[in-house]
Every structure is written in structure tokens, then in C-alpha cells.
């Protein structure tokens, strides 16, 4: 058993608390990882807020991490002690019907136990003050050591800087894949990206790499425009600058609508606007943002009858074990940006400050 520091969420709406936790050794088909770096994501904040129906407490959050394998359980063959890895919140077992189908990346092998905050055998590897602590998204990267299923880990280039590539565990991969895998953006196309946070910037990067000729960034926070243009946005607009609905503004700006639109916020009203901003006959709108539990999307069916397509994406459609190492290689060869997404680097005990910076849009 390893004793280490972890940021524990004792209950909904409370700040994270840095505690000493015990991390049990990995059981069969499990891997114990020394986490070197982790990022914070709105998904962690969503669960912490209490709005997540799958949220359970006390829990160790975090799902964008990178580290070194400390030990492996019985039957683990894909990684060994000392390997550099990224934990995966969408695993890839290679055996379920989802993994065998090229149309999806949604491995279901451990979905039920992962959603309940436990390892595949139904128990936790974390204890604190004598109490079991739940796992989160099968990763729990807000701990100096974590235990994950062996299908939830990708071995990556040992030379990669872990304080950067941890972002490929969720946000960058999600946005980039939404453009290149889910939408399949084509050269010369016109794109609109709603929400210019980390995921939105990654979508812009993907659209640019795919050869889009016009990329319109949409956000009410104008402080984000300069960064969006660095990533490839050709122009940025705010919905608050016009009396007309944003979809009407975009349809006028683009002679009938955009070829591809992306919703990177998790707001069902914006999802509707993103669909309706698409061009009749061929426009495709991809939902990337995660809306709060129980919310529903709406539009007039005629929007779809007249040739628009509404799609969703999770982790950018990447089959995780196969593709995360390739994304690291693309970063190392400068095909994709990663360093530019990092705004602040803080010590672990300042994790609550990191959440404040995220909520303030900084």
C-alpha cells in the first residue's frame, strides 16, 4: 500500500481537500500509476457541483493526467513498470462489439463499474481516514498515485513532457477529433465553433489542419478572441453584439450557413443555434459539450428534413489505446499544438485555485 497526497472531494459543492490517502496495490488486470501531471476540466467541476447524476462522494476526481507505471497486477501484458502512460476515461478492450466496430470508440467493457466509481471488481483502491474513496471516470488523476484498469491506459513516448501531454487525455483530443474524425471537415469548408475554451480551440486547430478556409469563433468572452486567432480562427463574433439570433447572423455572414458547426459549451440553446447556423442541404453540426443532466435539445424537424445533420462525439471519436500514442507523436513532430493550451502551471496543493481560474475564463 502506498501513502500519498490526493485532492479529495468529500461532498458536492465543497472545495477539494488535500489529504493523505492509501492506494492499494493493483489487482489482476490493473495498473498503478505515479501521476506526474494533471489538468483540470469542466467535467470535473460539473461532478463536483453535484449536478452529475453519476457523481458519488467522497471521490478523487481528475481525468486528464500523465505518469509512470509504478506496478502492474497479474495478467497485465500491455504495459510494465517504468512505462510512460496516459490514463484513459474511455478504455479500449479490443473485445466488445463496440471495440470491434470501426464506427465507434465507446468501449463498454467496464462502463457500469466505472460509472459507479469503482474498479471492475466492484471495489475501490483508495482509502482515507479509514473510509473507502470512490474512483472517477476510471482515472482519478487528482492523486499522486492512482490505479486504473489495464484497458484504460495508453503507453506513450517516454520523451514526451508529461505536464503538456496530460491534456491529450481529454480536451485537446476531444476537440481535434470532433473536427477530423466526427465532422470530417474538408478542405475549403466554412466552420463555426461555439465556445472558445480549451476544447473549442482544439476544434479550431482540427478545422485548420483539415484545410478549412473560414473558421468563425463564437464566444461572449472577447478576451478569448486573440488566442482563438492564434489557433486558426479567421474571425470571432459575440452573440451579444447583435439583436438577431446568432444563427441568423451566421447564415447572413456565410451566404446560407456554415458547412460544419461545433458546440463546445454544453448549452442546449447553443446546440440549437449551432445546428440552425448550418447550410441547407449538407451542413453538419457536432455536439461536443456535455449538457447538464435531464436537459433536452430541440429544433424544428424541417431543419433536418432539409438536409442538415446533427451528430455527437465523445473523446473526438478516437479509439483510445490505439490513437493516444499517435496523438503524442503528432505533438512531438509539431503537427498539433499542445504547449499553447497551457495558461497556468500550479503546484498540486493549489488545485482549488486552478478551478477558480477555469471558472473565471482565464
Amino acid at each position: 500500500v502506498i501513502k500519498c497526497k490526493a485532492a479529495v472531494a468529500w461532498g458536492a459543492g465543497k472545495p477539494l481537500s488535500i489529504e493523505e490517502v492509501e492506494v492499494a496495490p493493483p489487482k489482476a488486470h490493473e495498473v498503478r500509476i505515479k501521476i506526474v501531471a494533471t489538468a483540470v476540466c469542466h467535467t470535473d467541476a460539473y461532478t463536483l457541483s453535484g449536478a452529475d447524476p453519476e457523481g458519488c462522494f467522497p471521490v478523487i476526481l481528475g481525468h486528464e493526467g500523465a505518469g509512470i507505471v509504478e506496478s502492474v497486477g497479474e495478467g497485465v501484458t500491455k504495459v510494465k513498470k517504468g512505462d510512460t502512460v496516459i490514463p484513459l476515461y474511455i478504455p479500449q478492450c479490443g473485445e466488445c462489439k463496440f471495440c470491434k466496430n470501426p464506427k465507434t470508440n465507446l468501449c463498454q467493457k467496464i462502463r457500469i463499474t466505472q460509472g459507479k466509481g469503482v474498479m471492475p471488481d466492484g471495489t475501490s483502491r483508495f482509502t482515507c481516514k479509514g473510509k473507502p474513496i470512490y474512483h472517477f471516470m476510471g482515472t482519478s488523476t487528482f492523486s499522486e498515485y492512482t490505479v486504473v484498469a489495464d484497458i484504460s491506459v495508453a503507453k506513450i513516448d517516454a520523451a514526451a513532457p508529461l505536464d503538456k501531454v496530460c491534456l491529450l487525455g481529454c480536451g485537446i483530443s476531444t476537440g481535434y477529433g470532433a473536427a477530423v474524425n466526427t465532422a470530417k471537415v474538408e478542405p475549403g469548408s466554412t466552420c463555426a465553433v461555439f465556445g472558445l475554451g480549451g476544447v473549442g480551440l482544439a476544434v479550431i486547430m482540427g478545422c485548420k489542419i483539415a484545410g478549412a478556409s473560414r473558421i468563425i469563433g463564437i464566444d461572449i468572452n472577447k478576451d478569448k478572441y486573440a488566442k482563438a486567432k492564434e489557433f486558426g480562427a479567421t474571425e470571432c463574433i459575440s452573440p451579444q453584439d447583435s439583436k438577431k439570433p446568432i444563427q441568423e447572423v451566421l447564415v447572413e455572414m456565410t451566404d446560407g450557413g456554415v458547412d460544419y458547426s461545433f458546440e463546445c459549451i454544453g448549452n442546449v440553446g447553443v446546440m440549437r443555434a449551432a445546428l440552425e447556423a448550418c447550410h441547407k442541404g449538407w451542413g453538419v453540426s457536432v455536439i461536443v459539450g456535455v449538457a447538464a443532466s435531464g436537459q433536452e435539445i430541440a429544433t424544428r424537424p424541417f431543419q433536418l428534413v432539409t438536409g442538415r445533420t446533427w451528430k455527437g462525439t465523445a473523446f473526438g471519436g478516437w479509439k483510445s489505446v490505439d490513437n493516444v500514442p499517435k496523438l503524442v507523436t503528432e505533438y512531438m513532430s509539431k503537427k498539433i499544438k499542445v504547449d499553447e493550451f497551457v495558461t497556468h502551471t500550479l503546484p498540486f496543493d493549489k488545485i482549488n485555485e486552478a478551478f477558480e481560474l477555469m471558472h473565471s475564463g482565464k
Side-chain angles (χ1 to χ4, degrees):
V1 175
I2 290 177
K3 288 186 177 178
C4 68
K5 282 195 301 187
V8 177
W10 288 106
K14 296 179 184 164
L16 300 178
S17 173
I18 300 287
E19 305 279 2
E20 183 180 80
V21 298
E22 287 93 45
V23 185
K27 294 189 182 178
H29 294 288
E30 295 177 2
V31 179
R32 186 160 61 181
I33 303 167
K34 178 182 167 72
I35 296 290
V36 174
T38 186
V40 298
C41 171
H42 277 285
T43 310
D44 304 306
Y46 168 61
T47 299
L48 187 58
S49 73
D52 181 355
E54 273 199 344
C56 31
F57 298 92
V59 65
I60 295 172
L61 298 169
H63 63 284
E64 290 186 331
I68 310 290
V69 174
E70 178 275 332
S71 58
V72 299
E74 196 187 321
V76 175
T77 55
K78 298 265 167 64
V79 294
K80 62 185 187 305
K81 182 178 174 168
D83 282 349
T84 305
V85 294
I86 290 177
L88 307 166
Y89 71 89
I90 293 182
Q92 186 186 349
C93 71
E95 294 163 3
C96 69
K97 68 177 181 183
F98 288 78
C99 281
K100 287 180 173 170
N101 190 323
K103 294 178 180 175
T104 186
N105 62 329
L106 298 175
C107 173
Q108 296 296 293
K109 179 94 177 260
I110 59 171
R111 178 72 197 93
I112 291 164
T113 49
Q114 182 172 316
K116 289 179 179 163
V118 290
M119 294 299 289
D121 74 345
T123 63
S124 169
R125 301 292 164 267
F126 297 120
T127 42
C128 182
K129 299 177 180 171
K131 286 188 191 144
I133 307 288
Y134 286 111
H135 294 250
F136 177 67
M137 288 174 76
T139 52
S140 290
T141 60
F142 293 172
S143 174
E144 292 178 324
Y145 287 86
T146 189
V147 179
V148 305
D150 62 353
I151 59 172
S152 303
V153 65
K155 181 181 169 179
I156 61 160
D157 183 343
L162 301 188
D163 60 333
K164 305 294 193 294
V165 295
C166 60
L167 294 174
L168 293 170
C170 177
I172 298 178
S173 305
T174 297
Y176 176 44
V180 299
N181 296 332
T182 310
K184 296 186 168 63
V185 171
E186 295 156 326
S189 51
T190 298
C191 303
V193 181
F194 291 78
L196 301 175
V199 174
L201 294 176
V203 170
I204 289 172
M205 175 176 79
C207 292
K208 186 181 178 183
I209 289 170
S213 59
R214 192 172 180 193
I215 304 168
I216 305 163
I218 300 121
D219 203 299
I220 55 176
N221 181 351
K222 294 187 176 178
D223 294 342
K224 299 196 168 188
Y225 292 178
K227 195 76 158 167
K229 285 177 180 168
E230 276 174 45
F231 276 87
T234 51
E235 62 224 276
C236 294
I237 57 173
S238 168
Q240 294 173 339
D241 286 352
S242 172
K243 290 195 170 68
K244 290 181 184 169
I246 187 68
Q247 54 266 57
E248 285 182 27
V249 174
L250 284 159
V251 166
E252 281 175 19
M253 280 173 68
T254 57
D255 184 28
V258 299
D259 302 311
Y260 300 97
S261 70
F262 301 86
E263 198 280 353
C264 307
I265 301 161
N267 176 315
V268 292
V270 178
M271 290 173 190
R272 177 174 191 160
L275 176 80
E276 295 177 1
C278 281
H279 202 288
K280 184 192 282 190
W282 63 76
V284 174
S285 187
V286 181
I287 295 173
V288 193
V290 177
S293 170
Q295 297 201 322
E296 296 185 350
I297 49 174
T299 190
R300 292 194 176 146
F302 198 65
Q303 292 285 335
L304 300 174
V305 170
T306 50
R308 293 170 193 82
T309 304
W310 222 343
K311 299 179 92 164
T313 189
F315 196 54
W318 303 107
K319 287 197 185 267
S320 57
V321 174
D322 290 345
N323 287 293
V324 168
K326 292 177 185 169
L327 290 167
V328 170
T329 303
E330 286 194 3
Y331 157 65
M332 300 290 277
S333 63
K334 298 194 161 51
K335 185 188 169 186
I336 60 171
K337 295 182 195 303
V338 173
D339 297 9
E340 294 81 354
F341 285 88
V342 180
T343 55
H344 298 75
T345 304
L346 300 169
F348 187 32
D349 54 12
K350 296 257 179 82
I351 192 161
N352 288 306
E353 205 176 295
F355 276 93
E356 286 163 23
L357 287 163
M358 180 173 67
H359 287 307
S360 69
K362 293 178 181 164

